[in-house]
Amino acid sequence: MRGLVFRAFDRGGMIFLGILFGLILLLALSNLIMPVGHPLHAPTYLVSLIGKYLTYALLALSVDLIWGFCGILSLGHGAFFALGGYAMGMYLMRQIGDRGVYGNPELPDFMVFLNYSELPWYWHGFDMFWFAAIMIVFVPGLLAFIFGWFAFRSRVTGVYLSIITQAMTYALMLAFFRNNMGFGGNNGLTDFKDLLGFDLQNDGTRVGLLFASAMALGLGFLICKAVTRSKYGKVITAIRDAESRTRFLGYRVDRYKLAVFTLSACMAGVAGALYVPQVGIINPSEFTPANSIEVVIWVAVGGRGTLYGAVIGAILVNYAKTYLTGALPEIWLFALGGLFVFVTLFLPRGIVGAVNGSGDGGPSPIMTKVRDWRAARAMEGRS
Amino acid sequence: MSTAFNTSMADSILYLDGVNVSFDGFRALNDLSLVLDAGEMRAIIGPNGAGKTTMMDIITGKTRPDSGQVVFEGNVDLTRHDEAAIAELGIGRKFQKPTVFETQTVHDNLELALKADRSVRSSLLWMLSNEASRRIDEILAITRLGDHANEIAGSLSHGQKQWLEIGMLLAQDPKLLLVDEPAAGMTDDETAETARLLKEIAESHSVVVVEHDMTFVRDLGVKVTVLHEGSVLAEGSLDAVSADKRVIEVYLGR
Ligand SMILES: Nc1ncnc2c1ncn2[C@@H]1O[C@H](COP(=O)(O)OP(=O)(O)OP(=O)(O)O)[C@@H](O)[C@H]1O
Ligand SMILES: [Mg+2]
């Protein structure tokens, strides 16, 4: 256990976390301390926007853990994110109490509207934060465990696995669209008022959520570090590179995959739970298969198998998305597709790999070019 | 099954009887029977496609036989176990095409192979003990990879990868080693060195070696089994089987 905790802290990771928290702190201070109108004042929408990016970064991290390190290309991680989000949404709905439009102290507005006479059994307990907090981790984790149990034991891998993860999130989307599922149908859950007694419209609460997101991301990062730098991490990397060889060494590949897949889903659930109060709504569109594919693109752009690359990729691509969907909404999807093709062809190890080489020791394409260029200059100089 | 077979099964480490395997109607193994005594080293030779690798696939659980018995240590029916369980029982394998974990260091490859509890829990909590570390250093020395310990396995030469894989087998410390073409792609010196290494290993393990290189097989100086079209064509000392007309016809004489 001591070894596991110890391994979470390496120099690169500490630098990364230091930069992350430094920036978050600056953002928080400029929002809370600088007066509105001051050039250094960060508006609250920016705080929530960055907060949202951080939850995406945690989601990307969870995908990098399984894809970058174990070779499991999940195209359904949006589902775990959304389930965590719904669990948080249910808590937030229950917090509204009798302040809804219909003023029913027991039933959320949409249930009154749909003529529910009583709270469905699975809504019980969600008025308590601790219960919701457990469900945020437990529900995505359980789904991943059951899904992984069947998939990994029957040795479904590669494209086939990716396809069934897509099917999983698609099926959940259809289910959550139905009104009689009891999750608000296509409108989802919204009109939240407060969280743990803090008003969600309040700047302080927004900053608090930003910090909570940064903490969750930091913790997720440390957990991933600890896991991937342990012998367990070496085994899953071995599975990624030569699955059947790993079996012949006596490792139960299905169990190793199941463990990391479940952990990853729990992380995605936490990300979703922090996302919902910052955007103010959760609805079935979060299960859209395309969402899960986008996450994979973030990781590919940042550089898979590096952890911090996933974080950088998620933030950069989402920043581009925010900018482009505002400025030129019709080109966003083309830009995303183009970016993916570009990265796949020219930066196979993502931005991170291009800048500083990679884990597997080979020189980075950019560094190689720089060296070639220098060598060429030196030759010219001599002649 | 004859009683003679039964007695030998009891003190055999590996016992194959009447094993058949077909791929889409093609008989890769045809009523194959083979008995390996505990502590024995055996060389298997035979033309391409004779079924040598397929036999190893059967023993290690990669392929299921259509019929026949595959018994380990006289009482374990291997056809009922999967690859991981068979490895845990004590059967290690070196593949024909060297397969090491290319993106990890030579040291990490050995650490992964090193005999230890294979559960998820214990690999999460695993810390390299002094003893384990010493064992890895020992294997690095034996396989002459000491200078490459911290290099990525993918950067090794073909021959070095073969040696790393043999080193991984040593680290695993199985009771029975199945070694598929260990000398392929090696220089003559490396081949001789590999034969020496395998003989050393055979002092404390049971070993099955598949090899095409006759000088190598001669160096080993052990009983030879000739496979042809999925069954045993001849068995005995290298000199005896080399003199066998049928063996010359299908294999040596080509
Ligand atoms: N999974 C498979 N599917 C179909 N055919 C197979 C399979 N595995 C082996 N074979 C066939 O079975 C036959 C025996 O192959 P095997 O690899 O066991 O031969 P070998 O004796 O190891 O030959 P070599 O000396 O070339 O390594 C070959 O004709 C091969 O094509
Ligand atoms: Mg072969």
Side-chain angles (χ1 to χ4, degrees), chain B residues 23-24 26 28 46-55 57 96 180-181 212:
Chain B
F23 299 110
D24 308 320
F26 172 77
N48 294 115
K52 305 179 295 291
T53 300
T54 306
M55 181 187 82
D57 290 346
Q96 181 165 350
D180 204 348
E181 304 203 13
H212 284 293

CSV table of all heavy atoms in Angstrom, one decimal, chain B residues 23-24 26 28 46-55 57 96 180-181 212, ligand 1:
chain,number,residue,atom,x,y,z
B,23,PHE,N,-8.0,-27.9,-38.6
B,23,PHE,CA,-8.4,-26.5,-39.0
B,23,PHE,C,-9.1,-26.6,-40.3
B,23,PHE,O,-8.5,-26.9,-41.3
B,23,PHE,CB,-7.2,-25.6,-39.1
B,23,PHE,CG,-6.4,-25.5,-37.8
B,23,PHE,CD1,-5.1,-26.1,-37.7
B,23,PHE,CD2,-6.9,-24.8,-36.7
B,23,PHE,CE1,-4.3,-26.0,-36.6
B,23,PHE,CE2,-6.1,-24.7,-35.5
B,23,PHE,CZ,-4.9,-25.3,-35.5
B,24,ASP,N,-10.4,-26.3,-40.2
B,24,ASP,CA,-11.2,-26.3,-41.5
B,24,ASP,C,-10.9,-27.6,-42.3
B,24,ASP,O,-10.7,-27.5,-43.5
B,24,ASP,CB,-10.9,-25.1,-42.4
B,24,ASP,CG,-11.0,-23.8,-41.6
B,24,ASP,OD1,-11.9,-23.7,-40.8
B,24,ASP,OD2,-10.1,-22.9,-41.8
B,26,PHE,N,-8.4,-29.5,-42.3
B,26,PHE,CA,-7.0,-29.8,-42.4
B,26,PHE,C,-6.5,-30.4,-41.1
B,26,PHE,O,-6.5,-29.7,-40.1
B,26,PHE,CB,-6.2,-28.6,-42.9
B,26,PHE,CG,-4.7,-28.8,-42.9
B,26,PHE,CD1,-4.1,-29.6,-43.9
B,26,PHE,CD2,-3.9,-28.4,-41.8
B,26,PHE,CE1,-2.7,-29.8,-43.9
B,26,PHE,CE2,-2.5,-28.6,-41.8
B,26,PHE,CZ,-2.0,-29.3,-42.8
B,28,ALA,N,-4.0,-30.9,-38.6
B,28,ALA,CA,-2.7,-30.4,-38.2
B,28,ALA,C,-2.0,-31.3,-37.3
B,28,ALA,O,-0.8,-31.5,-37.3
B,28,ALA,CB,-2.8,-29.0,-37.5
B,46,GLY,N,11.3,-31.6,-37.6
B,46,GLY,CA,10.3,-32.0,-38.6
B,46,GLY,C,10.1,-30.9,-39.5
B,46,GLY,O,10.4,-29.7,-39.2
B,47,PRO,N,9.6,-31.2,-40.7
B,47,PRO,CA,9.4,-30.2,-41.8
B,47,PRO,C,8.4,-29.1,-41.4
B,47,PRO,O,7.7,-29.3,-40.5
B,47,PRO,CB,9.0,-31.0,-43.0
B,47,PRO,CG,8.4,-32.3,-42.4
B,47,PRO,CD,9.1,-32.6,-41.2
B,48,ASN,N,8.5,-28.0,-42.2
B,48,ASN,CA,7.5,-26.9,-42.0
B,48,ASN,C,6.1,-27.5,-42.1
B,48,ASN,O,5.8,-28.3,-42.9
B,48,ASN,CB,7.7,-25.9,-43.0
B,48,ASN,CG,9.0,-25.2,-42.9
B,48,ASN,OD1,9.8,-25.3,-43.8
B,48,ASN,ND2,9.2,-24.5,-41.8
B,49,GLY,N,5.3,-27.1,-41.2
B,49,GLY,CA,3.9,-27.5,-41.2
B,49,GLY,C,3.6,-28.9,-40.6
B,49,GLY,O,2.5,-29.4,-40.7
B,50,ALA,N,4.7,-29.4,-39.9
B,50,ALA,CA,4.5,-30.8,-39.4
B,50,ALA,C,3.6,-30.8,-38.1
B,50,ALA,O,3.1,-31.8,-37.7
B,50,ALA,CB,5.9,-31.3,-38.9
B,51,GLY,N,3.4,-29.6,-37.5
B,51,GLY,CA,2.5,-29.5,-36.4
B,51,GLY,C,3.2,-29.3,-35.1
B,51,GLY,O,2.7,-29.4,-34.0
B,52,LYS,N,4.5,-28.9,-35.2
B,52,LYS,CA,5.3,-28.7,-33.9
B,52,LYS,C,4.7,-27.5,-33.1
B,52,LYS,O,4.5,-27.7,-31.9
B,52,LYS,CB,6.8,-28.4,-34.3
B,52,LYS,CG,7.4,-29.4,-35.2
B,52,LYS,CD,8.8,-29.1,-35.6
B,52,LYS,CE,9.0,-27.9,-36.5
B,52,LYS,NZ,8.5,-28.0,-37.9
B,53,THR,N,4.5,-26.4,-33.7
B,53,THR,CA,3.9,-25.3,-33.0
B,53,THR,C,2.5,-25.6,-32.5
B,53,THR,O,2.1,-25.2,-31.4
B,53,THR,CB,4.0,-24.0,-33.9
B,53,THR,OG1,5.3,-23.8,-34.2
B,53,THR,CG2,3.4,-22.8,-33.1
B,54,THR,N,1.8,-26.2,-33.4
B,54,THR,CA,0.4,-26.6,-33.0
B,54,THR,C,0.4,-27.4,-31.7
B,54,THR,O,-0.4,-27.3,-30.9
B,54,THR,CB,-0.3,-27.3,-34.2
B,54,THR,OG1,-0.2,-26.5,-35.3
B,54,THR,CG2,-1.8,-27.6,-33.8
B,55,MET,N,1.4,-28.3,-31.6
B,55,MET,CA,1.5,-29.2,-30.4
B,55,MET,C,1.7,-28.3,-29.2
B,55,MET,O,1.0,-28.5,-28.2
B,55,MET,CB,2.6,-30.2,-30.6
B,55,MET,CG,2.8,-31.1,-29.4
B,55,MET,SD,4.3,-32.1,-29.6
B,55,MET,CE,5.5,-30.9,-28.9
B,57,ASP,N,0.7,-25.2,-28.9
B,57,ASP,CA,-0.6,-24.5,-28.7
B,57,ASP,C,-1.5,-25.4,-27.9
B,57,ASP,O,-2.3,-24.9,-27.1
B,57,ASP,CB,-1.2,-24.2,-30.1
B,57,ASP,CG,-0.5,-23.1,-30.8
B,57,ASP,OD1,0.4,-22.4,-30.2
B,57,ASP,OD2,-0.7,-22.9,-32.0
B,96,GLN,N,7.7,-19.0,-31.3
B,96,GLN,CA,8.5,-19.1,-32.5
B,96,GLN,C,9.0,-17.7,-33.0
B,96,GLN,O,10.1,-17.5,-33.2
B,96,GLN,CB,7.7,-19.8,-33.6
B,96,GLN,CG,8.5,-20.0,-34.9
B,96,GLN,CD,7.8,-21.0,-35.8
B,96,GLN,OE1,6.9,-21.7,-35.4
B,96,GLN,NE2,8.3,-21.2,-37.0
B,180,ASP,N,10.2,-22.8,-28.7
B,180,ASP,CA,10.0,-23.0,-30.1
B,180,ASP,C,11.0,-22.2,-30.9
B,180,ASP,O,11.1,-21.0,-30.9
B,180,ASP,CB,8.5,-22.5,-30.5
B,180,ASP,CG,8.0,-23.1,-31.7
B,180,ASP,OD1,8.8,-23.7,-32.5
B,180,ASP,OD2,6.8,-22.9,-32.0
B,181,GLU,N,11.9,-22.9,-31.6
B,181,GLU,CA,12.9,-22.4,-32.5
B,181,GLU,C,13.7,-21.2,-31.8
B,181,GLU,O,13.7,-20.1,-32.3
B,181,GLU,CB,12.3,-21.9,-33.8
B,181,GLU,CG,11.5,-23.0,-34.5
B,181,GLU,CD,11.4,-22.9,-36.0
B,181,GLU,OE1,12.0,-22.0,-36.5
B,181,GLU,OE2,10.6,-23.6,-36.5
B,212,HIS,N,15.1,-26.3,-36.1
B,212,HIS,CA,15.4,-26.9,-37.4
B,212,HIS,C,16.9,-27.0,-37.6
B,212,HIS,O,17.4,-27.8,-38.4
B,212,HIS,CB,14.9,-25.9,-38.5
B,212,HIS,CG,13.5,-26.0,-38.8
B,212,HIS,ND1,12.8,-27.0,-39.3
B,212,HIS,CD2,12.5,-25.1,-38.5
B,212,HIS,CE1,11.5,-26.8,-39.4
B,212,HIS,NE2,11.3,-25.6,-38.9
C,1,LIG,N1,-4.9,-21.4,-36.3
C,1,LIG,C1,-4.7,-22.1,-37.4
C,1,LIG,N2,-5.6,-22.1,-38.4
C,1,LIG,C2,-5.4,-22.7,-39.5
C,1,LIG,N3,-4.4,-23.5,-39.8
C,1,LIG,C3,-3.4,-23.6,-38.9
C,1,LIG,C4,-3.5,-22.9,-37.6
C,1,LIG,N4,-2.4,-23.2,-36.9
C,1,LIG,C5,-1.7,-24.0,-37.7
C,1,LIG,N5,-2.2,-24.2,-38.8
C,1,LIG,C6,-1.7,-25.1,-39.9
C,1,LIG,O1,-1.4,-26.3,-39.3
C,1,LIG,C7,-0.2,-26.8,-39.9
C,1,LIG,C8,0.9,-27.1,-38.8
C,1,LIG,O2,1.4,-25.8,-38.4
C,1,LIG,P1,2.5,-25.6,-37.3
C,1,LIG,O3,2.7,-24.2,-37.1
C,1,LIG,O4,2.2,-26.4,-36.1
C,1,LIG,O5,3.8,-26.2,-38.0
C,1,LIG,P2,5.3,-26.3,-37.5
C,1,LIG,O6,5.6,-27.7,-37.5
C,1,LIG,O7,5.4,-25.4,-36.3
C,1,LIG,O8,6.0,-25.6,-38.8
C,1,LIG,P3,7.2,-24.6,-38.8
C,1,LIG,O9,8.5,-25.4,-38.8
C,1,LIG,O10,7.1,-23.9,-40.1
C,1,LIG,O11,7.1,-23.7,-37.7
C,1,LIG,C9,0.3,-25.8,-40.9
C,1,LIG,O12,-0.1,-26.3,-42.2
C,1,LIG,C10,-0.5,-24.6,-40.6
C,1,LIG,O13,-0.8,-23.8,-41.7
